[in-house]
Amino acid sequence: MFEPRRIKHCRVCGSTVRYRTPPDDNRERAICEACGEIHYENPINVVGTVPVWGDQVLLCRRNIEPRRGLWTLPAGFLELGESTSEGALRETDEEAGAHIELQGLFTVLNVVRAGQLHLFYRARMLDTHLNPGPETIEAQLFREEEIPWDEIAFRTVRDTLRHFFADRRLGAFGVHTADIS
Ligand code: ZN
């Protein structure tokens, strides 16, 4: 079971919180000792894209921890006030500076132990102009046989790439869901 226990202070008044189960609830929450505020913690959404140009896929080499120096698809945390597709577009712009058009939702991957849900969209690149941001060392297009499988930063990225190339061989893209343990 996932128990992050990461909240120490109340976000309303700053007092110490204690983990206990509120009345009419069934799990422990961080509850403020002073004002009674209950802090609910829920999985974090990570949104990204599989940007495609011809037979090539765009990867970014991470310039930030964790996994600095390894390759990833453009992806990051969904922000408040944006939809999943807006977040995927923004992350692709921030990390690669790529101009894309979103296609379908492609993978829905539960990373329960990390408290995260990862969503990747397929995307068509509109041109090959790239302008990587500070979180990216370099952005580069790869053919399937050129993918640096041993240097992929995250399991969800590797699984999404595997599904992409498998579906492309079949000539039809589905939506893939999985629980990553
Ligand atoms: Zn409080």
Side-chain angles (χ1 to χ4, degrees), residues 10-15 32-37 39:
C10 175
R11 69 174 163 233
V12 175
C13 75
S15 299
C32 179
E33 305 264 62
C35 76
E37 178 76 6
H39 302 80

Side-chain angles (χ1 to χ4, degrees), residues 26-27 37 48 50 54 61 68 84 86-87 91 97-98 110 121 147 155 157 163 170:
N26 55 12
R27 65 174 70 201
E37 178 76 6
V50 186
R61 201 145 77 86
R68 186 177 185 277
T84 52
E86 288 168 344
E91 287 292 342
N110 290 286
Y121 289 84
I147 298 281
R155 165 84 188 274
V157 170
H163 282 304
L170 293 172

Side-chain angles (χ1 to χ4, degrees), residues 4-147:
R5 299 254 193 267
R6 57 181 177 264
I7 297 176
K8 291 193 170 60
H9 300 284
C10 175
R11 69 174 163 233
V12 175
C13 75
S15 299
T16 306
V17 302
R18 195 161 64 87
Y19 276 84
R20 56 189 170 86
T21 304
D24 305 320
D25 203 340
N26 55 12
R27 65 174 70 201
E28 293 193 335
R29 314 286 184 186
I31 303 176
C32 179
E33 305 264 62
C35 76
E37 178 76 6
I38 302 170
H39 302 80
Y40 294 93
E41 296 165 88
N42 301 98
I44 289 170
N45 298 298
V46 172
V47 291
T49 61
V50 186
V52 176
W53 177 258
D55 64 347
Q56 297 171 295
V57 170
L58 182 69
L59 297 180
C60 298
R61 201 145 77 86
R62 289 172 63 80
N63 194 32
I64 50 172
E65 295 296 347
R67 321 276 167 86
R68 186 177 185 277
L70 299 185
W71 294 91
T72 186
L73 289 163
F77 296 120
L78 184 64
E79 298 283 3
L80 288 173
E82 67 185 4
S83 67
T84 52
S85 56
E86 288 168 344
L89 279 169
R90 175 184 52 74
E91 287 292 342
T92 306
D93 179 47
E94 286 177 5
E95 297 190 357
H99 304 136
I100 59 166
E101 176 184 272
L102 279 192
Q103 298 177 297
L105 178 65
F106 187 54
T107 52
V108 177
L109 302 168
N110 290 286
V111 193
V112 174
R113 218 162 39 179
Q116 297 182 355
L117 171 63
H118 292 209
L119 304 175
F120 286 90
Y121 289 84
R122 288 185 298 110
R124 190 172 71 87
M125 289 176 66
L126 302 175
D127 55 58
T128 55
H129 176 77
L130 300 173
N131 182 23
E135 295 183 7
T136 302
I137 296 169
E138 58 180 324
Q140 193 182 314
L141 288 163
F142 292 88
R143 293 190 171 79
E144 182 177 6
E145 62 272 18
E146 299 166 340
I147 298 281

Side-chain angles (χ1 to χ4, degrees), residues 150-165:
D150 295 336
E151 296 170 45
I152 300 295
F154 304 106
R155 165 84 188 274
T156 55
V157 170
R158 199 162 56 236
D159 288 1
T160 296
L161 287 169
R162 288 227 163 89
H163 282 304
F164 176 79
F165 292 119

